[in-house]
Amino acid sequence: MSTVASEKLTGFADLDALRSSIQAQREKIETTVVLCGGPGCQAYGCKAVIEAFREALDDEGLEESVQLRVTGCHGFCERGPLVVIRPAGTFYQGVTAEDVPEIIQKTLKNNQLLDRLLYVNAQTSQKVQTEKEVDFYAYQQRIISGANEEIDPECIEDYLAVGGYSALAKALSQMKPDQIIEQITESGLRGRGGGGFLTGRKWQSCRNAQGQPKYVLCNGDEGDPGAFMDRTIMEGNPHSVLEGMCIGAYAIGSNQGYIYVRDEYPLAVENLGIAIQQARELGLLGENILGSGFDFDIRINRGAGAFVCGESTALMASIEGKIGDPRAKYIHTTDVGLFGKPSNLNNVETWANVPQIINRGPDWFSSLGTEHSKGTKVFSLVGKINNTGLVEVPMGIILRDIIFKIGGGIPNGKKFKAVQIGGPSGGCIPETLLDTPVDYEQLTDLGAMMGSGGLIVMDQDTCMVDIARYFMNFLCEESCGKCTPCREGTKIMLDILTRICQGQGTPEDMEQLETLGEDVQTASLCGLGTSAPNPVLSTLRYFRDEYEAHVKDKRCPAGVCRELISFSVTPEACTSCSLCVKACPVEAISGGTRKGKGKERTKVPAVIDQDKCIKCRACYEACKFNAVAVS
Amino acid sequence: MSEETTNSTVKLSIDGQEITVEAGTTVLEAARRIGIDIPALCYHPVLGGAGACRVCLVEVVAWGRRRMVTSCVYPAREGLEVYTNTEKVLRSRRAVIAMLLAKAPAAKVVQELAKKYGSTEPAYEPSDPEARCILCGQCVRTCNELIKVGAVNFAHRGQERKVGTPYNATSDVCLACGACQNLCPTGNIRIRDKRDLRAMLTWHTDVPWNKCSKCGQSYLPARLVEFLKQQCPVAAELVTICPRCRREGTAESFVQASVLADDE
Ligand SMILES: Cc1cc2nc3c(=O)[nH]c(=O)nc-3n(C[C@H](O)[C@H](O)[C@H](O)COP(=O)(O)O)c2cc1C
Ligand code: SF4
Ligand code: FES
């Protein structure tokens, strides 16, 4: 949606003037309805809600006075579709198309709240009116993701209205490249893609490197299963990435950028493409940006669909059109990278932090976080957690607060067991260590890692051996296969874990897992292999008793591993409701019904025929009275 | 040692021995120069190392930090300390060799390394006792980087990774030059010279012989002859003749030349 037509901006004053005119125009708008169009809300059917609003506003003749803004993800995916009405900030959740006429009649026209759409805070059981009061948001600090609500990603004016490209203008007009690097270094910003390397230092190496041209690259491959932090930024606020890259390019001395986007993210590709086009038209990308004499442009590359292509050297090979295999990095990519030239690769979130630091200063940034981990981190919070979604927290917050205060704890009254942090090759952290702060070093010390921001919560029904097997299977399949230890070692570890889950493990297997894990860590070529043993080693470290139960007692304490469990019905608890009978796919359950009539009526408890049972858990999940037991 | 190292040379120590080499030399090459043996399977003097097989692991201390690196691709640096034989190195090397032994139990080089490093037990039950390929990629690099034809490449990931022609189909571009077989360290690449053609069995590709334009004998694969003609137009005539006729031709011209010389 374009409201302000503009020519190419040829100077810094032009940008200020344009921004002022957009802001002046925006002030006239009385009401804005902000609709989340992110992936979570889409899954809950927000498209129908958006359509309903469009039509209804037209019908009511409100299309002039009420602005409709469809944005990227707001974070609270669990409660989608989300609607926020400004300026009051009224927060509606779980909105359907049917609710829309009433929202317009009552809330927009008469300032009345729709009680049923308000969010109830889990802790206090109180209904709240605005987003600010929602517990899920209250403990967050959304310096990167917060802007999503202000911005229709297809509309550069929205980005300009909230100060977009002012950091670029500041950098180009008032700062020398060295000064920019100094500030980024001082801020303490570290890479958000996994390694946690100091961003300023990386820029400096690339700036110092011999050779021309130099490239700046953005890693939007985001291959971690269940992660969607970078997706949210690329889809919801693409200009923040472009602005960060442009500032970085100026500091490093590069005129060409590349954004490598995961192939499964077509909307990110589309929105980035639109953003690049708009930025070019306004002279914020291309030749002689804002009349500064600095040239910079960006190309988008679509990923090759492999997890390993997120690794820096594999990513560069892939952009070059070669097979996405990693190579040794004894000569850094800042010296010899893409097309053999000095290249600086940063993660999407890393780039998005840059304009903030330039605008608000390194001291502001480094005031957030711990001694060596500064700023905020965006996590995707998934698994057995009440509030699934995207959260942005200051570094240093303890894991317990993320899971219980923001995430609202574990559903269905179950107990927390572990949180897996750092993506598929992260580590599993137990309850006793939940007071660990989010901090690069402290997480690494626990055998986990910051990774790119995946947080998978597991409850008492999760078998930690099975989880280790699950991640090992993923890594084994995603290993590129170039180097021996990762290709063969992950397979051997997977076979051992499978054996243990099937009740055929031995105590020597546990030792072998540890030895092999260490061998794969030390001998592998790239980060995939060197970190692949983490899930196994961390579960062996913190949940050894579960391994022992599988190996020695042939028992799966969580009741997950099929070969080691059986299901039975506790007759006293069974109400003969027959839900389990209907759920069983192989007709292994008899009884579970009521016989006779009136006073004669008797309950016949359900009985599971162990020979027929295929251990699919369907009865266990179906029973509402906890009458099905796993042993 | 009083030897000054210049900008283009660096001095390092390997297992306590000092050596000065040109910058850019790999640790593996430097070690071999002073007779220190480091096993290497994906390295070839012509191609360099690939850092893939991982048997060439050594420990280095650089900038005060000790770590395990693959010597075939690690560049020699001023002041570097290299240890090729520590307990840690041997443990990793043994583990890697045991894995290769399971992957390619029939590969002689691997068997020999296994014997030498005492890891005679394969890391797991080999699925194919006849298997030889260790995925070192030397054939792939020969074909892509040396010959620059690119008939064979890697396909698939992880356990499924293989070398071969695209989709394992007959190659339209393979010259049947046989360079890959020459560089393969395990003898995995099978070639059979038949009456009418050379069969690149491993690549599922048959290439007919070229017939000598003088005597009509088969001598080189036809595609290879075409390739050589294009690569080296001045020698175009020469490559269409079989080696024997070429030798005879050369002898004849010698005789003629000397006759001419005598005449003068
Ligand atoms: C197997 C593997 C996968 C990776 N995937 C990603 C990814 O999807 N996104 C990302 O930003 N970094 C990923 N990385 C980290 C990158 O190699 C690189 O360190 C990062 O993009 C650098 O940017 P940063 O310094 O801003 O974090 C991956 C690393 C490995 C070893
Ligand atoms: S560690 Fe794994 S992913 Fe990395 S090069 Fe080796 S085989 Fe490939
Ligand atoms: S020879 Fe160095 S990794 Fe293979």
Side-chain angles (χ1 to χ4, degrees):
Chain A
M1 190 186 64
S2 189
T3 48
V4 181
S6 173
E7 307 269 288
K8 201 167 183 143
L9 308 169
T10 53
F12 303 111
D14 291 358
L15 177 64
D16 292 339
L18 175 61
R19 191 191 318 284
S20 304
S21 79
I22 295 170
Q23 283 167 344
Q25 205 181 53
R26 294 284 153 109
E27 269 166 26
K28 291 186 209 134
I29 298 168
E30 282 167 28
T31 311
T32 306
V33 176
V34 185
L35 298 165
C36 178
C41 285
Q42 278 186 23
Y44 284 119
C46 71
K47 287 212 165 127
V49 178
I50 296 167
E51 265 328 294
F53 262 110
R54 282 217 174 98
E55 279 173 25
L57 289 179
D58 263 359
D59 292 348
E60 299 279 334
L62 291 172
E63 71 271 19
E64 292 292 316
S65 60
V66 177
Q67 192 202 11
L68 206 57
R69 183 192 298 143
V70 181
T71 70
C73 176
H74 295 190
F76 203 2
C77 309
E78 182 75 33
R79 295 305 177 122
L82 304 177
V83 175
V84 181
I85 297 161
R86 303 272 175 83
T90 307
F91 176 73
Y92 287 152
Q93 42 100 49
V95 178
T96 63
E98 288 75 59
D99 295 323
V100 171
E102 215 180 329
I103 296 178
I104 293 181
Q105 289 310 326
K106 295 211 168 133
T107 312
L108 291 189
K109 289 190 168 167
N110 293 308
N111 275 326
Q112 288 171 359
L113 291 179
L114 282 181
D115 224 37
R116 65 167 191 278
L117 297 178
L118 293 177
Y119 175 72
V120 182
N121 268 346
Q123 309 276 334
T124 58
S125 301
Q126 276 189 343
K127 281 199 173 143
V128 294
Q129 189 197 334
T130 62
E131 203 181 47
K132 270 193 277 201
E133 301 161 85
V134 173
D135 48 11
F136 176 79
Y137 292 112
Y139 300 91
Q140 298 193 42
Q141 200 151 358
R142 303 171 73 226
I143 64 173
I144 301 299
S145 54
N148 270 16
E149 287 177 32
E150 316 300 324
I151 294 167
D152 169 349
E154 294 182 19
C155 173
I156 191 170
E157 288 85 359
D158 279 357
Y159 186 65
L160 293 173
V162 295
Y165 289 105
S166 58
L168 175 66
K170 180 176 175 188
L172 292 179
S173 64
Q174 301 167 25
M175 297 170 83
K176 296 222 157 58
D178 284 326
Q179 223 177 332
I180 296 173
I181 295 181
E182 215 166 89
Q183 293 214 347
I184 298 295
T185 309
E186 254 174 58
S187 76
L189 175 65
R190 294 169 68 171
R192 303 296 195 234
F197 197 81
L198 264 173
T199 305
R201 196 178 295 163
K202 194 189 277 184
W203 290 17
Q204 188 71 60
S205 309
C206 196
R207 177 168 179 77
N208 293 349
Q210 301 291 319
Q212 285 290 344
K214 294 179 180 176
Y215 298 111
V216 295
L217 282 67
C218 172
N219 192 341
D221 198 45
E222 193 158 66
D224 299 12
F228 55 105
M229 303 74 61
D230 297 343
R231 170 182 186 172
T232 297
I233 300 171
M234 290 187 286
E235 285 182 2
N237 193 358
H239 285 287
S240 66
V241 181
L242 307 187
E243 187 179 2
M245 288 178 74
C246 198
I247 295 169
Y250 171 66
I252 289 162
S254 159
N255 305 112
Q256 182 64 52
Y258 289 85
I259 307 181
Y260 189 85
V261 189
R262 182 185 161 109
D263 200 40
E264 288 88 339
Y265 290 172
L267 186 60
V269 172
E270 189 182 325
N271 287 359
L272 283 166
I274 294 171
I276 290 173
Q277 197 47 42
Q278 290 172 337
R280 280 184 193 144
E281 278 163 19
L282 282 185
L284 296 162
L285 278 180
E287 280 174 20
N288 194 12
I289 293 170
L290 292 173
S292 65
F294 172 63
D295 308 335
F296 181 63
D297 210 340
I298 298 178
R299 249 178 253 164
I300 301 175
N301 274 74
R302 296 190 70 157
F307 175 65
V308 76
C309 284
E311 194 278 338
S312 53
T313 57
L315 181 146
M316 292 177 198
S318 179
I319 294 182
E320 290 170 8
K322 299 183 187 147
I323 294 180
D325 284 347
R327 64 159 175 81
K329 284 190 281 192
Y330 303 136
I331 296 166
H332 298 299
T333 49
T334 44
D335 286 309
V336 180
L338 183 65
F339 303 117
K341 300 294 177 190
S343 304
N344 181 93
L345 174 71
N346 281 119
N347 165 263
V348 170
E349 192 184 331
T350 315
W351 285 122
N353 269 293
V354 170
Q356 303 279 339
I357 296 170
I358 296 300
N359 265 338
R360 302 208 215 173
D363 292 341
W364 161 78
F365 191 81
S366 63
S367 71
L368 304 167
T370 63
E371 193 184 350
H372 296 296
S373 305
K374 302 296 190 188
T376 62
K377 179 77 196 88
V378 184
F379 288 100
S380 60
L381 187 59
V382 297
K384 299 293 171 64
I385 184 96
N386 274 316
N387 300 338
T388 301
L390 198 80
V391 305
E392 182 178 347
V393 289
M395 296 275 191
I397 188 173
I398 58 173
L399 293 169
R400 191 183 301 282
D401 286 350
I402 301 182
I403 292 162
F404 290 95
K405 289 189 176 160
I406 298 173
I410 316 301
N412 306 324
K414 301 253 165 122
K415 275 223 308 270
F416 170 90
K417 188 183 244 175
V419 57
Q420 215 263 359
I421 180 165
S425 47
C428 294
I429 294 177
E431 156 85 37
T432 47
L433 293 171
L434 274 188
D435 292 322
T436 307
V438 170
D439 173 283
Y440 289 96
E441 279 70 29
Q442 297 205 44
L443 290 172
T444 308
D445 287 347
L446 296 185
M449 58 184 191
M450 182 78 77
S452 57
L455 274 180
I456 305 175
V457 182
M458 300 162 197
D459 69 4
Q460 63 190 71
D461 287 342
T462 315
C463 167
M464 299 314 287
V465 187
D466 181 60
I467 278 294
R469 190 193 55 79
Y470 169 82
F471 286 117
M472 194 46 82
N473 185 47
F474 175 84
L475 294 162
C476 181
E477 280 180 1
E478 292 298 330
S479 159
C480 80
K482 175 175 176 174
C483 78
T484 312
C486 170
R487 180 187 64 234
E488 308 296 331
T490 52
K491 173 77 174 111
I492 306 173
M493 286 198 278
L494 174 62
D495 287 346
I496 297 176
L497 288 164
T498 308
R499 217 158 54 219
I500 296 179
C501 288
Q502 289 171 345
Q504 284 151 17
T506 62
E508 293 77 63
D509 278 340
M510 287 168 60
E511 270 167 48
Q512 211 201 335
L513 277 179
E514 268 161 339
T515 319
L516 259 172
E518 284 165 20
D519 288 337
V520 173
Q521 269 175 346
T522 31
S524 291
L525 194 168
C526 83
L528 195 157
T530 57
S531 64
N534 285 348
V536 181
L537 296 178
S538 68
T539 48
L540 270 167
R541 182 164 160 193
Y542 300 121
F543 300 94
R544 205 173 184 90
D545 51 337
E546 280 196 47
Y547 279 84
E548 277 165 355
H550 283 75
V551 166
K552 294 186 181 144
D553 314 335
K554 309 294 172 204
R555 194 169 59 81
C556 174
V560 171
C561 296
R562 283 189 188 196
E563 275 83 352
L564 301 180
I565 53 170
S566 63
F567 292 89
S568 61
V569 178
T570 317
E572 300 76 47
C574 179
T575 63
S576 304
C577 70
S578 81
L579 277 178
C580 60
V581 181
K582 289 184 194 128
C584 178
V586 292
E587 297 180 1
I589 306 179
S590 56
T593 49
R594 289 161 192 158
K595 262 194 188 154
K597 279 190 178 141
K599 280 198 173 158
E600 303 289 289
R601 199 172 154 93
T602 50
K603 292 180 193 164
V604 183
V607 178
I608 301 175
D609 181 340
Q610 297 300 329
D611 292 336
K612 284 191 189 161
C613 173
I614 54 164
K615 295 168 186 171
C616 69
R617 293 180 89 81
C619 55
Y620 180 80
E621 308 287 348
C623 183
K624 293 199 162 68
F625 308 99
N626 276 330
V628 181
V630 202
S631 61
Chain B
M1 258 189 220
S2 58
E3 217 178 312
E4 276 289 298
T5 53
T6 66
N7 258 349
S8 55
T9 65
V10 291
K11 190 158 82 183
L12 66 161
S13 85
I14 308 179
D15 294 339
Q17 278 193 71
E18 289 199 336
I19 170 173
T20 303
V21 295
E22 312 81 70
T25 310
T26 63
V27 164
L28 179 83
E29 284 158 351
R32 289 194 168 175
R33 234 174 265 177
I34 47 174
I36 293 176
D37 175 46
I38 301 173
L41 293 173
C42 67
Y43 164 89
H44 187 278
V46 176
L47 294 166
C53 75
R54 318 300 288 175
V55 298
C56 70
L57 288 166
V58 298
E59 275 191 280
V60 296
V61 183
W63 300 289
R65 215 158 65 94
R66 197 179 182 101
R67 60 176 180 143
M68 195 82 86
V69 302
T70 35
S71 58
C72 70
V73 282
Y74 195 89
R77 289 180 171 137
E78 185 66 35
L80 188 75
E81 291 169 41
V82 182
Y83 302 93
T84 74
N85 248 322
T86 62
E87 205 27 67
K88 247 183 122 173
V89 166
L90 294 179
R91 170 184 162 175
S92 296
R93 207 175 276 166
R94 246 180 253 130
V96 170
I97 293 170
M99 290 175 190
L100 288 173
L101 197 59
K103 170 89 188 156
K108 259 229 167 62
V109 268
V110 179
Q111 293 167 0
E112 279 161 14
L113 277 184
K115 206 176 286 164
K116 183 163 175 193
Y117 286 92
S119 51
T120 39
E121 279 291 305
Y124 56 92
E125 190 61 43
S127 57
D128 176 5
E130 298 303 315
R132 289 200 164 137
C133 179
I134 52 169
L135 295 171
C136 66
Q138 304 233 32
C139 52
V140 172
R141 289 163 71 214
T142 304
C143 195
N144 286 271
E145 292 166 28
L146 285 185
I147 313 293
K148 296 199 166 70
V149 162
V152 293
N153 219 319
F154 288 111
H156 310 297
R157 289 201 290 266
Q159 285 289 308
E160 302 301 315
R161 189 174 170 100
K162 305 242 168 3
V163 290
T165 55
Y167 307 103
N168 254 336
T170 297
S171 169
D172 297 336
V173 292
C174 172
L175 307 174
C177 70
C180 49
Q181 190 191 43
N182 264 318
L183 270 79
C184 173
T186 66
N188 181 53
I189 297 168
R190 288 175 306 130
I191 300 179
R192 190 170 301 149
D193 284 349
K194 300 187 183 171
R195 218 172 64 98
D196 303 331
L197 51 82
R198 170 174 282 179
M200 305 296 289
L201 298 174
T202 313
W203 311 139
H204 313 292
T205 300
D206 296 340
V207 178
W209 296 116
N210 197 55
K211 302 256 190 305
C212 172
S213 57
K214 287 210 165 147
C215 68
Q217 276 285 338
S218 299
Y219 66 103
L220 273 186
R223 269 190 219 156
L224 179 56
V225 171
E226 279 313 304
F227 177 81
L228 291 172
K229 276 196 208 161
Q230 270 169 25
Q231 293 290 304
C232 191
V234 284
E237 192 120 343
L238 223 54
V239 294
T240 58
I241 306 168
C242 79
R244 214 176 67 207
C245 293
R246 209 179 308 146
R247 243 176 284 129
E248 278 169 5
T250 324
E252 210 161 279
S253 50
F254 260 126
V255 173
Q256 270 173 14
S258 53
V259 169
L260 282 177
D262 280 353
D263 281 356
E264 269 169 26

